[in-house]
Amino acid sequence: MSAESSIEWTDSTWNPVRGCTKISDGCKHCYAEKFAERFRGVKGHPYEQGFDLRLVPEKLAEPLRWRKPKMIFVNSMSDLFHENVPEEYIAAVAKVMVAANWHTYQVLTKRSERLRELLNTSLRFAADQKHIWWGVSVENRKYGLPRIEDLQSARAAMRFLSVEPLLEDLGKFDLRGINWVIVGGESGPGARPMKKEWVVAIRDQCRRARVPFFFKQWGGVRKSAAGRRLDGKTYDEFPDRVTHPILDVHECLAMAEKFEADFKRTDLLSIAGISSTALELVL
């Protein structure tokens, strides 16, 4: 799951963590869970453990080996700020993002309280980096609007909202400090409907606030047939991206090897809180 991505608003995915647990209404039809559970028990498959949460340290330095600049969705198959992901490991992921700064990273979470806490403390070294975009999921008023407030209270140079799946009218909400908004409907079997007026209301608020607006999809059981045009137009707006020089190939490889060696020297068992049997599965 680190190859080219079919997600409309990114180029590639990077999963140094796999698996998650459900915490809100937007998780009901989780695409990542459905994908991972198909392979539970398939020996040798990356998702042999299904959607159980696990660290994947062998993927940690991967962006340093990708020398072509990419837009990278971090943990498309997990949540970096899950309560069971150790803070030290989150910091290691952030250090890689800071080091491989020729890429643009999109970090999306439903655990906004932890995101706010860490960006304001141990992740301050990464929070101000304009090539790292920090975002929260917003599916409805109950869960989504408090996440927006947490994000706005976090120290971050770039903030975005993923309003997907949009499950109800959000009403008027505060876009101060928000740099990008993605909107999309739920797709697949059992998809909950999204009304056009909900989308238009968000688009219009983005227009007034001068926030780039990206409309991903209408969703539904046949999302390709429903398409992604709104009022006859495709909305593919992005914030401006910063550019940084790419390190020499030898520097990239040396830095990747150092990250991996440094991580192996840490007490992984105590950091991850896992058994020796589970350790064999992640290394």
Side-chain angles (χ1 to χ4, degrees), residues 8 163-166 183-195 199 215-229:
E8 291 82 354
V163 188
E164 184 186 14
L166 177 56
V183 176
E186 192 167 53
S187 61
R192 291 162 285 184
M194 177 178 68
K195 294 184 179 180
V199 182
F215 184 55
K216 180 186 172 186
Q217 63 183 30
W218 287 106
V221 177
R222 298 174 59 203
K223 71 171 187 177
S224 58
R228 50 187 302 265
R229 293 176 69 83

Side-chain angles (χ1 to χ4, degrees), residues 122-138:
S122 60
L123 295 185
R124 287 186 65 173
F125 70 92
D128 290 334
Q129 300 290 320
K130 290 187 177 180
H131 70 286
I132 306 176
W133 301 358
W134 306 94
V136 295
S137 297
V138 180

Side-chain angles (χ1 to χ4, degrees), residues 79-111:
D79 188 328
L80 183 63
F81 290 92
H82 191 285
E83 56 273 16
N84 291 334
V85 177
E87 185 174 332
E88 296 90 340
Y89 193 78
I90 297 173
V93 172
K95 287 176 182 177
V96 172
M97 293 192 287
V98 170
N101 64 0
W102 53 92
H103 302 301
T104 299
Y105 300 89
Q106 301 153 315
V107 185
L108 181 62
T109 184
K110 286 184 173 67
R111 276 83 175 173

Side-chain angles (χ1 to χ4, degrees), residues 18-19 33 36-37 39-41 46-52 54:
R18 295 180 187 143
E33 179 187 41
E37 288 299 328
F39 301 99
R40 181 179 288 277
Y47 292 93
E48 181 180 352
Q49 288 78 47
F51 207 48
D52 296 347
R54 59 194 293 262

